[in-house]
Amino acid sequence: MLTSTFSVFAGALLLAAPSAANFKPGHGLKQPLRPRQDSTISPYPDYINGTTNNANPVTLSVATQGGGRNATAPLLYGWMFEDISHSGEGGLYGELLVNRAFQGSASISGMDPLLNGTAIIGTEGGQIIPTGPTLVGYGSLGGARLQLDLYHPLSAAIPVGMEVDIPANATGEVGFFNTGFWGFSLTPQTYTASMYVLVNGPRQHYGNLSGVTLSLRSNTTGQTLASTRIDLTNTSISDFSYTYLETTIVSNVTAPDTNNTFVVTFDGAEVAGASFFFSLLSLFPETFHNRTNGLRPDLAYAISDLKPAFLRFPGGNNIEGNSIANRWIWNNTIGPLKDRVGRVGDWGYYNTNGLGLMEFLLWSEDMNMERVLAVYSGLSLDFSGYGALGGTSYPEDHMDEVLQYALDELEFCMGNTSTYWGNKRAEFGHPEPFQINYVEIGNEDWFSGTYPYRFPIMYNGLKAAYPNITLISSAFNEAQKSFNYTIDLPPGSMWDTHHYEEPSFFLKQFDYFDNWQEETNNPNVTVLIGEYSVYQIDTPSGVVNYSNPSNLHIQYPRLLSAIAESVYLLGAERNPNTVKMTSYAPSFQNIRGYNWTPNLVVFDSDPVHTTKSVSWQMQSLFAHYRGTETLPVTDTEGGIDPLWWVAVMDEPSGEIYLKMTNSGNHTIPLTVNFDLPFNSVNGTILTNPDLNAFNYLYNSTAVVSVPVTFPAGTNTTGQTFTWGVPPYSINVLQFNTR
């Protein structure tokens, strides 16, 4: 990608050189960097260039009777997830321990002047083998020696462990600790701890190992805040095969901060001179819906509170891999954790695959979301800068392997227990099938010149096996300039379009979908806006600069971001027969280690700091007032820009929702006429006097939606409503007709 990549190695924040391998553009084409004169642009604009700033009155007529009503798109507002910026590892995935199974480490990829494309230019801890196993996150206590061990693999999937050598003269407390992902929060709750341990037989000369102590300690105060002891007086740790230990640690206190560690200790006198091997250590807090191996609650609630109708998973670039062998292999992400082969994620850090296919399926079940499953389509990025054909692709005569791989994945999700993969799903605790109605073939395949042969093979094969699934193309016309092709979208299919743009772009796209099907000759093709966000402020050229100059790039969604994005979404709501789904991206950013900005939700190790952005606030507002049918609206005075609108009706309740955005800097006098009476009106508004206001970690409520207080004398009954729509505001007015 052409944006700078941040990675965190052992507590140090490193800035990586720009990398083209994970570039995520708005138009589907790599854009040139901005001209030097853009450096004079104020990073805090007073207005959106693409809007008209006036105070001209607007009069609207909303029709509830007669023709012109269309069913709304019930799945319009959803959630896109991929593991980027530690959104999974060290984020939504509930595991608190970093480097729990010594599977691999982080790296930095960047431009090398001697190479075409990108290369690994930095490793964690100066590793000779990039992304190789390390002891990052661990430290010794009582003089214990820690080192990696290859002689005692836990499983074929987890071949590396940690050897802990106890000094022969050890006394008192001896063992090791894990720092967690930049620490972890410690609050009153029950934590679940587990590990595998093996003793070195020849050194097993301790007399009476009575137990092992697991504790949670504050580095700030030096106190042990919670602990438990696993009694081993009647249980011996084997020297032949690993012994699995699991227990709970009950905390009754709150640590002063997140500078806490997980500590494993022995009585030195009992184990002096012994050696132990540890693997797959784990510490989980209480999780969302109390799922084993589940989700961090505050981040899960940041999703569910938005009321998303669908989940698009597992990516994103992260599905493709930086090589074919290192792609997201779905069947490496299921089953017991000890059998899950981790992988080097596309975003510079290791993925344990603890957040795997089964966890995604259960997550969507717990939140009652439609599933949009992205399947591997035969393209991997391969550090090439995409090259002549874009990454590395399966040859056409091997695409049957990719198709079968996807069919097996769908059998795991939906197959009955008489099938091989359906039976595997049942073995893992869910005999009932998970219904999949939407499958996306790849991700951003307009980066590749081979999608024209890969897409039809995948489409035809999947459609033959599952005729009722809606199949989604990750490319349409984005590659016309780069590879000179347009994908023929079959009737009944869907197109996933991505846009990271300036505010004015989204305003100009308000009516883009009004006649899209006719103008593109796709009369029975629908649209998923799978990734979008305002990425930088407006500039004269309108070209996004992915090197992120500080005077142009938007790090956190601002009010101006939400205003522009809301106009785009209003345009989508106006066209429910065309636009079926939308999802902002990326969704999560761990402020301690990230690859991309801006993001929908920002967090760190302390759940108290989790911050829902202004863009989140806007989407939540719109998603909570979905309605069942769009209503015809006629502007009899004034027009679109700077006021933008859509009207929907919730037929069961008789409520009419008028969603409006004022992108200008003046109050707009508004009159709304209805063809039936309303008996009350209430409203919700998202605004701030500062167009550039944003929510951040220690001021998470700078811009939030609040109830509208109408001026005294406002007519809230009858068939005509008048109000002054405040500048720089996003609004939903609810007219109650029953």
Side-chain angles (χ1 to χ4, degrees):
M1 66 183 189
L2 294 183
T3 186
S4 295
T5 302
F6 291 88
S7 297
V8 175
F9 295 162
L13 185 64
L14 302 179
L15 176 60
S19 160
N22 292 323
F23 173 69
K24 297 170 75 70
H27 287 294
L29 300 174
K30 297 179 182 179
Q31 303 290 355
L33 298 184
R34 290 193 174 282
R36 178 70 64 179
Q37 60 264 29
D38 280 352
S39 64
T40 63
I41 298 173
S42 168
Y44 303 106
D46 296 325
Y47 55 86
I48 298 174
N49 289 356
T51 197
T52 301
N53 286 303
N54 62 51
N56 296 339
V58 172
T59 300
L60 305 177
S61 293
V62 179
T64 64
Q65 303 170 29
R69 292 167 63 156
N70 292 295
T72 58
L75 303 180
L76 190 62
Y77 296 102
W79 194 274
M80 185 272 181
F81 181 87
E82 74 168 309
D83 203 335
I84 176 176
S85 298
H86 285 278
S87 56
E89 303 286 343
L92 181 65
Y93 181 46
E95 177 63 74
L96 295 178
L97 300 187
V98 66
N99 194 21
R100 70 179 182 186
F102 317 101
Q103 291 168 291
S105 55
S107 66
I108 299 176
S109 61
M111 303 301 295
D112 187 321
L114 301 179
L115 296 173
N116 177 26
T118 61
I120 293 177
I121 61 174
T123 61
E124 188 171 14
Q127 287 291 103
I128 296 175
I129 301 176
T131 72
T134 71
L135 287 173
V136 165
Y138 290 87
S140 70
L141 293 171
R145 184 180 67 174
L146 311 182
Q147 60 184 357
L148 293 175
D149 172 71
L150 288 168
Y151 294 106
H152 305 86
L154 173 65
S155 64
I158 302 180
V160 181
M162 179 176 68
E163 180 176 346
V164 180
D165 298 323
I166 311 299
N169 60 350
T171 59
E173 184 179 69
V174 62
F176 61 91
F177 62 85
N178 184 292
T179 62
F181 291 91
W182 306 285
F184 53 85
S185 173
L186 178 58
T187 61
Q189 61 174 301
T190 299
Y191 295 83
T192 301
S194 63
M195 64 194 69
Y196 289 86
V197 61
L198 177 75
V199 69
N200 181 303
R203 296 179 186 166
Q204 189 180 358
H205 55 264
Y206 52 80
N208 182 26
L209 176 59
S210 60
V212 57
T213 299
L214 311 183
S215 58
L216 305 177
R217 302 185 184 182
S218 167
N219 293 323
T220 299
T221 67
Q223 294 176 299
T224 295
L225 301 180
S227 68
T228 191
R229 182 170 173 80
I230 300 177
D231 187 352
L232 296 175
T233 54
N234 296 314
T235 302
S236 62
I237 296 177
S238 172
D239 64 353
F240 177 72
S241 61
Y242 275 91
T243 300
Y244 178 69
L245 302 178
E246 180 177 334
T247 188
T248 58
I249 305 174
V250 178
S251 170
N252 297 311
V253 299
T254 298
D257 52 34
T258 59
N259 187 13
N260 305 306
T261 54
F262 171 69
V263 181
V264 179
T265 55
F266 299 98
D267 180 341
E270 294 182 351
V271 295
S275 292
F276 297 91
F277 306 98
F278 286 85
S279 188
L280 191 54
L281 299 102
S282 179
L283 179 68
F284 267 82
E286 295 172 3
T287 61
F288 183 75
H289 276 224
N290 296 313
R291 289 283 187 188
T292 300
N293 197 48
L295 307 180
R296 175 173 150 175
D298 61 302
L299 299 182
Y301 280 113
I303 302 168
S304 64
D305 288 350
L306 189 66
K307 296 192 180 301
F310 70 87
L311 174 66
R312 177 178 167 234
F313 67 95
N317 290 108
N318 206 38
I319 194 176
E320 296 161 314
N322 275 319
S323 70
I324 288 176
N326 199 57
R327 68 189 187 274
W328 193 84
I329 300 176
W330 71 267
N331 48 315
N332 284 346
T333 76
I334 60 175
L337 294 180
K338 69 181 182 66
D339 296 326
R340 298 193 190 186
V341 179
R343 59 181 287 267
V344 183
D346 287 37
W347 295 101
Y349 55 91
Y350 215 84
N351 293 179
T352 64
N353 283 336
L355 181 58
L357 178 59
M358 194 72 166
E359 285 72 32
F360 282 114
L361 295 170
L362 292 170
W363 166 11
S364 57
E365 180 176 271
D366 289 343
M367 295 189 189
N368 194 30
M369 294 186 288
E370 189 76 53
R371 303 173 183 96
V372 179
L373 174 65
V375 298
Y376 180 70
S377 67
L379 170 69
S380 293
L381 306 180
D382 227 359
F383 291 109
S384 64
Y386 292 101
L389 290 177
T392 300
S393 299
Y394 266 75
E396 187 169 1
D397 59 356
H398 282 264
M399 280 300 297
D400 59 317
E401 302 167 23
V402 182
L403 173 61
Q404 187 59 53
Y405 170 79
L407 290 171
D408 289 346
E409 185 174 10
L410 287 170
E411 181 177 286
F412 178 84
C413 296
M414 295 192 292
N416 61 47
T417 55
S418 67
T419 65
Y420 176 82
W421 287 113
N423 184 59
K424 282 290 183 184
R425 184 194 64 247
E427 287 179 13
F428 300 150
H430 205 285
E432 302 81 11
F434 295 99
Q435 183 62 36
I436 305 291
N437 293 318
Y438 297 88
V439 171
E440 181 160 6
I441 300 172
N443 171 73
E444 293 181 346
D445 283 272
W446 28 258
F447 273 134
S448 166
T450 62
Y451 203 52
Y453 74 72
R454 292 187 290 109
F455 175 74
I457 291 173
M458 296 294 289
Y459 183 93
N460 293 333
L462 292 170
K463 201 67 175 176
Y466 297 95
N468 295 324
I469 286 181
T470 297
L471 297 174
I472 304 168
S473 173
S474 72
F476 171 43
N477 60 1
E478 301 93 334
Q480 286 177 325
K481 292 183 180 180
S482 52
F483 295 112
N484 193 32
Y485 72 77
T486 297
I487 295 297
D488 293 329
L489 301 174
S493 68
M494 186 178 285
W495 168 46
D496 178 8
T497 181
H498 296 178
H499 290 282
Y500 297 93
E501 310 284 357
E502 297 182 347
S504 290
F505 170 89
F506 291 108
L507 268 61
K508 294 173 183 176
Q509 296 293 301
F510 175 73
D511 60 356
Y512 177 77
F513 295 106
D514 287 2
N515 301 296
W516 179 84
Q517 291 174 323
E518 294 78 10
E519 292 174 354
T520 61
N521 195 30
N522 287 302
N524 194 28
V525 174
T526 54
V527 173
L528 157 65
I529 303 174
E531 300 181 25
Y532 71 90
S533 80
V534 169
Y535 192 80
Q536 71 175 31
I537 64 172
D538 283 326
T539 61
S541 63
V543 177
V544 174
N545 184 343
Y546 287 96
S547 66
N548 301 346
S550 60
N551 67 317
L552 301 181
H553 182 59
I554 293 176
Q555 275 206 307
Y556 303 98
R558 306 178 189 175
L559 178 59
L560 70 84
S561 309
I563 286 173
E565 293 157 4
S566 73
V567 172
Y568 191 45
L569 295 179
L570 290 174
E573 284 211 35
R574 284 165 25 111
N575 292 279
N577 294 329
T578 298
V579 183
K580 297 297 184 181
M581 303 179 189
T582 68
S583 53
Y584 185 103
S587 53
F588 284 120
Q589 174 193 353
N590 189 322
I591 200 68
R592 298 297 299 275
Y594 56 90
N595 309 91
W596 185 275
T597 56
N599 297 270
L600 202 59
V601 176
V602 178
F603 67 95
D604 64 11
S605 300
D606 190 345
V608 173
H609 295 158
T610 296
T611 300
K612 301 167 183 174
S613 70
V614 187
S615 293
W616 186 99
Q617 297 286 338
M618 177 273 294
Q619 291 176 61
S620 176
L621 179 58
F622 281 5
H624 278 71
Y625 296 94
R626 296 175 188 264
T628 57
E629 292 182 295
T630 60
L631 299 177
V633 180
T634 304
D635 48 315
T636 58
E637 180 183 18
I640 290 291
D641 188 16
L643 196 65
W644 318 77
W645 61 80
V646 68
V648 297
M649 186 170 191
D650 185 64
E651 189 61 44
S653 66
E655 297 167 352
I656 298 172
Y657 309 132
L658 182 59
K659 303 181 182 182
M660 298 179 298
T661 293
N662 182 355
S663 59
N665 57 9
H666 293 83
T667 297
I668 304 297
L670 172 69
T671 301
V672 187
N673 297 309
F674 294 89
D675 58 3
L676 83 171
F678 52 88
N679 53 52
S680 64
V681 182
N682 54 277
T684 307
I685 185 170
L686 182 66
T687 189
N688 189 283
D690 182 2
L691 183 62
N692 295 284
F694 60 92
N695 299 334
Y696 51 97
L697 239 59
Y698 299 98
N699 190 9
S700 61
T701 58
V703 187
V704 296
S705 57
V706 297
V708 173
T709 301
F710 296 114
T714 301
N715 184 15
T716 57
T717 61
Q719 291 184 236
T720 299
F721 174 80
T722 60
W723 182 49
V725 184
Y728 301 141
S729 67
I730 302 163
N731 309 269
V732 175
L733 300 181
Q734 176 180 319
F735 296 87
N736 303 302
T737 65
R738 296 177 190 166

